[in-house]
Structure formats: C-alpha cells, structure tokens
C-alpha cells in the first residue's frame, strides 16, 4: 500500500509550468509501479542536466504546492487531495493495461458516428456538410459552401482550371473538384500539400482499404501491450527535439503513435497508406496536449479523447465519405504543388487559369509551421530545425518568426503610402518597448509578398478571369491595418481592373476589443 499524506489545499494542476507537470506525471506513474524516481530518469525525460537548478527547483516546487510529499532521496508519497489527479494520470499513461476498443475491426463506432444526410446525397449536400473536408480541418479554413457559391456566381464551367495559391487543408481544391473543375493548389508547407493531395484522391479500392485497416488494427491491439520488448523504428521520436516532443505528447502517447506509424509504414498500397497517415496525424494532433487559441499553448492535464478512439473514428469516417463520393463518378482532378505560390509561373503557363479563390495568410503573427510542427516530424517531412527553417523561408511573411536576414520583399511594398503609414505608426507604438521591434518590418514584408503573389498570377490568368481573396483587416499593437484596401491598391497598380470588396463576416480581434471585417476582395484580369 503506497503512503498517503493529507494536505490542506492543493494547487490547480492546470496552472503548473510545463516542466513541473512533466515531472509530476513521471513521479506519479513511478509510484503506481512502486518504483523510486531518480534524478537521472527525470533528466533523461526532460532533457535537462541532472544537476540543473531549473530541474531541481521544479521538483521542489511540486512538494511546496502540495502535489507530493518527500524528495528524491527519501522517496515521494501522494497527498490525499491529489488522489483523483493521481488516478487520472495513471489511467492516461498505463498503456500496458488499457482496454482498447475493437470497433475498428467491425468498422463500427458506438454511436451513429456518420448519419445519413439525405436519401439522395447531392454534390452540393456532400460539399456543404463537409464530406471529405472534415478529414482534416485547419485553423483559418473558410466555409466549404463559399467555393460552390462563387463557382456558380462567376459561372465557372466544368473542366475549368481553378487555382488555390495557399492550399492549406484543401478546401478550395476539394470543392472545385466536386463541381467538376480541375484545380492546382500551392503550399510551401509539405504537410499541408500532403493533406490536400490525400483529400483530393478519391479513386480508392475500398475493399483493400478496409482489409489493410483491419490488419493494421489487429497488429496494434496485439503489439501495444509488448511495445517495450519489441524493436521499432524511432523516426520522429528521435528527430523531433525532445523538449518539444514532450510538450506535445505524453510518454505513453508517444509509444502508441510510434507503433501505429510503424504499422502504417508497412502497408504496401500507397493510396491506403497515405489515407491512414492522414488519419494518424489528425488523431495524434487531437489527442495531444496542444491548444491553438490563443497561440500555441500546451495543457498536460486537459481531458482529451484517446488516440485509438480518435483514429478508429477517423478511418471509418474516411471509408464512409469515400463510399458517398464514389457514387458520383464525375469530378475534376487536383494537382498539389509543394512550393511557394510566388513560383507559380514555373508550374503554370500563361493565360491558363480560369479562376483563383484563396484565403491567404494575414499579418497577424501566426506562424503556421509552429501549429503543424508535430505532424511535420511525425510524417517525416522534416528531420531537424534546419529543414523547418527552409520551409519557413518560402512562406508569406505574416509572422515575425518568418522573417530572415535575407528577406527583402518589403522593397516592393514601400511604394504604397498606406503600407508606410501603418508601418510608421506601429514603430511609434513599439520603439520604446522591449518587444514588437520587428512588427513594422513584418507588415512591410507581408505586403511585399502579397504584391509579388498578385503580380505572379496576373500573366497566368485568362483575360476577364477573376481572383478572389478572403482576407481580414488586422490590428497590430493598437494600429489598424486596412489589409483589403491595401491589396486593392496593389492590384490596381499591377493592372487588375474592377477591383472591389464585399463584407464576408465580422471577427473580433484577439489582441484588441474591436470588431474587424473579413471581406472578399475581388480583382479581375
């Protein structure tokens, strides 16, 4: 029987710094297994030297806050007030005794997970309700129905070429394909290119898919209990910086994810393999510690659904969606290109594009490789931070973290007076501060990149073709940035005509208590 010490009041675990949360979970699980935690083990886990003051202060703080009693030398015990937390941590991390659902073996879920929409599911209904789209949603996606509305409004005919300069999770390409248009999507992030490519590949042998899923599931349900005694390729577990990896995934979740990744990598059919890698990456993200609002924050004690349950639902969702889609055998085709859209002319000949619709990055200091970091390592798109940096260098600079010494797009933006006015105002707000010194440059670099984007596509568009950008005005350090008006001014300077904007929706600024318009900027060749 493990010792229990009564404490008067316990601090809130959600307020613990991440290092303390990590150490606490390790010590609790060692107590469950009747093991004495050593500083060497904590050093290996956290990637701090064993004599690190930071590490030792974190250990001491847990006792001061009432989560533990004792120390590394005499051993630890649990306060009575923390027994519930102890039980939750043990349950989450005890993969050796966890009961995993077998629903995937029968391709069923406990609830009616994917109900029938209508007796006759039209293409519009499939698109509107997120068929295919919801395999992998992405922060900042726009509504699926918007693409259909605009294809109809601008009378885009079947077999027309629709281009998406910032493909993201593929919303534009999927919807374009539904309505019999061909599409080309660009994304500098190889993960997003992969996701969009998988989500626009619908000629899947569903019998083979089901067979391979069940085979991989049977192996997982058998091998997870013996994970520590089997040799697996470590892959992302070794490549991803350890402190960062531990921020995203608990030690037990790392093992579950790595086992699934190894099993999926052994699947011979490339299309089935890619579908399951997509399912794994999304399930892994949803089961992780991360929260994206605001920014990228990690909550080790937040209740999350189990990885295996998320994966089960996702692979069945994919199967059901593909069955629906394959009933309609008349779609467009997509090509996804892992490159910045500023190189579009290397991939598309002049006068070939019928329609462009996109939601580009905003100058809001969101750094998208940070939000996709886990999946980029998991799916082997990057193996170190140097490779992450190379991707960041290709991205439109809506974040200060995307600006490098060699970045120089700002030279194309400074001829527009509103860019200079906004940049100067932000400088005045930040010049005496220890933060925000690079925000003025971020704004200039962002608009320089967007100018180059608009200019790059001008010769590639057919005469009278339209280019739509769903984009919102922003505030940076209290300074209002009229993004839409500046883009229109740039487009007119390049030679676009009939430039206008229409209100799409209102959003609230996360940094300031003001409503910001998100608008559809329309420009014409």
């Amino acid at each position: 029987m493990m010792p229990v010490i009564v404490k008067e009041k316990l601090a809130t675990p959600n307020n613990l710094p991440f290092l303390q949360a990590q150490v606490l979970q390790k010590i609790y699980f060692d107590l469950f297994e009747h093991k004495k935690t050593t500083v060497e083990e904590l050093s290996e886990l956290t990637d701090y030297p064993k004599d690190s003051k930071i590490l030792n202060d974190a250990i001491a703080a847990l006792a001061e806050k009432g989560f533990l009693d004792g120390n590394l030398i005499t051993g630890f015990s649990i306060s009575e007030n923390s027994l519930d937390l102890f039980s939750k941590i043990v349950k989450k991390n005890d993969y050796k005794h966890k009961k995993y659902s077998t629903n995937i073996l029968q391709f069923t879920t406990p609830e009616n997970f994917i109900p029938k929409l209508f007796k006759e599911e039209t293409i519009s209904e499939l698109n509107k309700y997120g068929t295919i789209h919801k395999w992998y949603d992405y922060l900042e996606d726009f509504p699926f129905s918007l693409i259909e509305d605009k294809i109809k409004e601008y009378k885009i005919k079947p077999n027309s070429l629709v281009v998406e300069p910032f493909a993201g999770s593929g919303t534009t390409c999927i919807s374009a394909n539904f309505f019999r248009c061909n599409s080309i999507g660009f994304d500098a992030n190889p993960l997003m290119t992969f996701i969009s490519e998988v989500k626009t590949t619908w000629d899947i042998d569903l019998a083979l898919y089901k067979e391979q899923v069940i085979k991989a599931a049977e192996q997982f349900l058998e091998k997870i209990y013996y994970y520590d005694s089997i040799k697996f390729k470590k892959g992302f577990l070794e490549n991803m910086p350890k402190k960062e990896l531990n921020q995203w995934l608990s030690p037990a979740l790392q093992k579950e994810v790595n086992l699934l990744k190894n099993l999926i990598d052994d699947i011979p059919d490339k299309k089935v393999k890619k579908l399951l890698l997509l399912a794994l990456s999304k399930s892994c993200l949803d089961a992780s510690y991360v929260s994206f609002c605001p920014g990228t924050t990690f909550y080790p004690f937040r209740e999350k659904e189990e990885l295996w349950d998320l994966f089960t639902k996702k692979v069945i969702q994919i199967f059901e969606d593909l069955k629906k889609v394959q009933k309609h055998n008349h779609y467009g085709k997509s090509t996804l290109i892992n490159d910045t859209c500023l190189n579009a002319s290397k991939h598309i000949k002049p006068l070939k594009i019928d329609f462009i619709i996109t939601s580009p990055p905003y100058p809001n200091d969101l750094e998208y490789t940070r939000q996709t970091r886990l999946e980029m390592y998991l799916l082997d798109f990057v193996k170190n931070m140097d490779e992450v940096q190379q991707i960041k260098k290709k991205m439109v600079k809506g974040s200060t973290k995307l600006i490098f010494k060699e970045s120089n797009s700002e030279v194309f933006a400074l001829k527009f007076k509103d860019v200079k006015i906004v940049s100067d105002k932000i400088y005045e707000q930040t010049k005496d501060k220890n933060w925000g010194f690079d925000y003025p440059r971020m704004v200039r670099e962002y608009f320089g990149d967007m100018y180059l984007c608009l200019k790059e596509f001008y010769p590639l568009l057919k005469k009278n073709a339209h280019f739509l950008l769903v984009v919102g005005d922003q505030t940076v350090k209290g300074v209002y940035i009229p993004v839409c008006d500046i883009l229109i001014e740039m487009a007119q300077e390049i030679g676009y005509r009939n430039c206008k904007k229409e209100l799409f929706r209102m959003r609230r600024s996360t940094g300031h208590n003001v409503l910001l318009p998100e608008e559809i900027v329309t420009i014409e060749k």
Side-chain angles (χ1 to χ4, degrees), residues 400-449:
T400 56
K401 299 172 188 66
L402 298 175
I403 298 173
F404 296 87
K405 188 187 300 184
E406 63 268 32
S407 301
N408 64 351
S409 296
E410 62 182 331
V411 298
F412 300 99
L414 286 174
K415 58 182 169 182
F416 298 97
K417 65 177 183 179
D418 285 344
V419 175
K420 190 172 187 311
I421 289 171
V422 167
S423 173
D424 289 346
K425 284 183 178 179
I426 296 172
Y427 171 75
E428 289 300 317
Q429 291 295 319
T430 59
K431 65 180 181 181
D432 298 324
K433 307 285 194 306
N434 293 324
W435 44 258
F437 63 90
D438 44 2
Y439 280 108
R441 187 180 177 195
M442 178 192 78
V443 169
R444 299 192 299 269
E445 292 287 348
Y446 169 80
F447 282 111
D449 279 344

Side-chain angles (χ1 to χ4, degrees), residues 69-84:
D69 191 76
N71 54 56
L72 283 169
I73 298 171
T74 62
F76 291 101
S77 55
I78 306 165
S79 68
E80 185 176 30
N81 288 334
S82 63
L83 284 174
D84 184 55

Side-chain angles (χ1 to χ4, degrees), residues 62-310:
L62 293 170
E64 292 170 9
K65 295 176 180 179
F67 291 100
L68 292 166
D69 191 76
N71 54 56
L72 283 169
I73 298 171
T74 62
F76 291 101
S77 55
I78 306 165
S79 68
E80 185 176 30
N81 288 334
S82 63
L83 284 174
D84 184 55
L85 176 62
F86 170 79
S87 297
K88 287 180 179 177
I89 288 174
V90 168
K91 182 180 178 182
K92 198 73 175 174
N93 288 279
D94 186 19
Y95 66 92
K96 293 179 183 177
H97 300 95
K98 192 182 293 185
K99 184 173 174 57
Y100 293 89
S101 163
T102 59
N103 289 314
I104 196 169
L105 302 181
Q106 293 80 39
F107 263 62
T108 59
T109 51
E111 68 279 3
N112 293 324
F113 177 60
I114 308 174
K116 284 282 184 182
L117 302 177
F118 298 93
K119 287 184 179 178
E120 295 294 330
E121 291 166 338
T122 65
I123 294 296
S124 288
E125 288 162 352
L126 292 177
N127 185 61
K128 178 181 178 182
Y129 289 100
T131 306
I132 307 292
H133 291 289
K134 290 183 178 179
W135 291 1
Y136 198 114
D137 46 7
Y138 189 49
L139 208 65
E140 314 298 330
D141 274 350
F142 45 40
F144 320 129
S145 57
L146 176 66
I147 312 301
E148 176 184 0
D149 293 343
K150 294 305 177 184
I151 284 174
K152 291 178 177 178
E153 178 182 342
Y154 287 93
K155 299 180 172 58
I156 307 301
K157 297 177 182 178
N159 299 317
S160 296
L161 178 59
V162 176
V163 170
E164 166 56 286
F166 305 95
S169 63
T171 302
T172 293
C173 293
I174 294 164
S175 296
N177 288 5
F178 272 139
F179 298 99
R180 303 177 68 181
C181 297
N182 298 318
S183 62
I184 295 177
F186 293 88
D187 207 294
N189 187 332
L191 172 75
M192 304 318 298
T193 309
F194 168 82
I195 289 167
S196 295
E197 177 195 329
V198 175
K199 288 172 71 176
T200 51
T201 303
W202 304 337
D203 57 337
I204 307 296
D205 182 335
L206 292 182
L208 178 63
Y209 173 84
K210 192 171 183 178
E211 174 191 312
Q212 294 297 320
V213 165
I214 291 173
K215 182 179 178 181
E218 287 174 338
Q219 291 179 300
F220 177 87
L221 293 170
E222 174 192 350
K223 292 182 178 181
I224 186 60
Y225 298 111
Y226 309 101
Y227 180 92
D228 293 329
S229 61
I230 304 173
K231 287 188 176 180
F232 294 106
K233 290 179 291 185
K234 295 295 185 182
F236 81 105
L237 296 181
E238 292 181 333
N239 294 328
M240 193 169 182
K242 192 164 188 178
K243 288 178 183 175
E244 192 169 18
L245 173 64
N246 290 339
Q247 276 189 307
W248 289 85
L249 304 177
S250 69
L253 187 50
Q254 290 176 28
K255 293 177 180 180
E256 291 177 338
V257 172
N258 193 49
L259 173 55
L260 262 177
K261 175 66 162 53
N262 274 266
L263 295 173
I264 293 170
D265 281 343
D266 287 339
I267 291 174
D269 186 89
K270 289 183 180 179
K271 290 181 180 178
V272 173
K273 180 190 294 187
K274 287 181 177 181
L275 283 166
L276 296 187
L277 288 174
L278 179 145
L280 172 61
S281 63
K282 183 66 170 101
S283 303
C284 179
L285 178 67
D286 289 346
S288 74
Y289 292 147
V290 76
S291 174
F292 289 133
C293 190
T296 305
T297 314
F298 301 94
Y299 298 101
F301 299 107
R302 182 171 288 181
E303 289 293 320
K304 291 288 191 82
E305 195 168 353
E306 292 285 346
L307 169 78
W308 182 246
D309 294 336
L310 289 164

